[in-house]
Amino acid sequence: FSSDSVRYVNYKKTYMNYYKAVPELTALINKVASDVNEEFYFEPLEKKQSNRNRVKQAEVFAQNVNLSMTNFSTIVDIITTGEGYGWIGKINQAQLKEILDKYSKNVETKEVLMKMDFSDEDALKPRKYRYIASSTMENKFDEYEVTHYVQRVNNTDVKRFDKDEIIHYKFYDE
C-alpha cells in the first residue's frame, strides 16, 4: 500500500488519539455531535401515497441497527478526522446464488430457486448498518475516483469493501 494513504490514516489516528486524550476536546466534540444528531423521523417519498408500512419498516430497521448511536459515532468521526464511514450489510445476487448452491439439496428445488427473480427489493434490501472507525479506513483510488475501501485494524486484520458496501461521509468535499 502507498505511503500517502498510510500517512493519511496515521493522521486520522493521531486526531482520534487527541480526541480521546483531551477531555475538553472530547466534551466539545460530543456536544456538537449531540446537537447535530437530533431526533429523526421517516416519511414517505411519494406524498400522494401513505406508504405507512414502508415508514414502519424504516423505523424498525433504525431501531434494530441502533441508528441514533451509530449516527452519533459517525458524526464524532467526521468532526475529529474529517471523514465518517458506515457499512451497509446486504446480500447481493452473487452471494444469494452461492447460498442457494450450497444449501439446496434437491435439484428440482434448486432449479426453481435459480430461475426466480432476486432483483426483488425486499430480498436484496439492506439488513444491517454499522459504524466503521474512520481511523481504520483507507480510500483506494484509480485515476478518477474511489474504487474500493480497505480497513486495517492493528495493521494485521485487513478487510476490503466495495464502493457499494460503504457510505463515505466527508466533512469537506473539494
Side-chain angles (χ1 to χ4, degrees):
F1 44 96
S2 72
S3 63
D4 285 342
S5 65
V6 170
R7 187 178 313 123
Y8 186 63
V9 170
N10 287 336
Y11 285 145
K12 291 193 292 184
K13 286 180 181 179
T14 300
Y15 298 148
M16 194 52 77
N17 286 336
Y18 285 142
Y19 164 76
K20 292 175 183 176
V22 180
E24 295 84 0
L25 181 61
T26 304
L28 176 65
I29 290 174
N30 286 349
K31 177 62 178 150
V32 173
S34 294
D35 289 347
V36 171
N37 190 34
E38 291 185 7
E39 290 290 320
F40 54 86
Y41 64 95
F42 299 97
E43 57 186 44
L45 291 174
E46 299 171 11
K47 301 291 184 195
K48 295 176 185 172
Q49 300 175 358
S50 77
N51 288 327
R52 187 176 76 80
N53 290 343
R54 287 185 179 234
V55 170
K56 197 66 170 162
Q57 284 177 338
E59 290 170 350
V60 168
F61 178 77
Q63 186 176 11
N64 288 343
V65 299
N66 198 3
L67 191 59
S68 183
M69 197 60 185
T70 301
N71 284 347
F72 177 81
S73 299
T74 303
I75 293 166
V76 166
D77 264 11
I78 294 168
I79 295 169
T80 306
T81 67
E83 293 182 315
Y85 296 88
W87 172 73
I88 303 169
K90 61 183 176 182
I91 297 174
N92 62 36
Q93 285 192 329
Q95 291 170 323
L96 196 54
K97 288 181 181 181
E98 182 182 319
I99 290 167
L100 290 176
D101 280 341
K102 186 174 182 179
Y103 294 105
S104 292
K105 304 286 187 228
N106 185 332
V107 175
E108 292 172 11
T109 305
K110 185 176 174 181
E111 288 175 5
V112 170
L113 290 172
M114 293 300 268
K115 290 178 183 175
M116 290 176 66
D117 180 21
F118 290 114
S119 61
D120 178 37
E121 186 177 303
D122 286 338
L124 301 174
K125 71 180 181 181
R127 303 288 179 191
K128 298 201 180 292
Y129 178 72
R130 298 283 189 259
Y131 155 79
I132 299 178
S134 68
S135 59
T136 64
M137 292 294 285
E138 291 179 57
N139 306 336
K140 296 297 186 174
F141 298 91
D142 62 8
E143 291 181 37
Y144 306 105
E145 64 183 356
V146 173
T147 57
H148 63 279
Y149 301 94
V150 175
Q151 181 184 31
R152 294 183 193 281
V153 180
N154 299 329
N155 290 326
T156 56
D157 189 17
V158 178
K159 173 93 170 108
R160 184 186 191 279
F161 296 98
D162 292 330
K163 278 177 28 174
D164 62 341
E165 290 181 277
I166 298 292
I167 297 177
H168 181 201
Y169 304 95
K170 294 176 262 185
F171 187 78
Y172 177 73
D173 195 6
E174 297 178 40

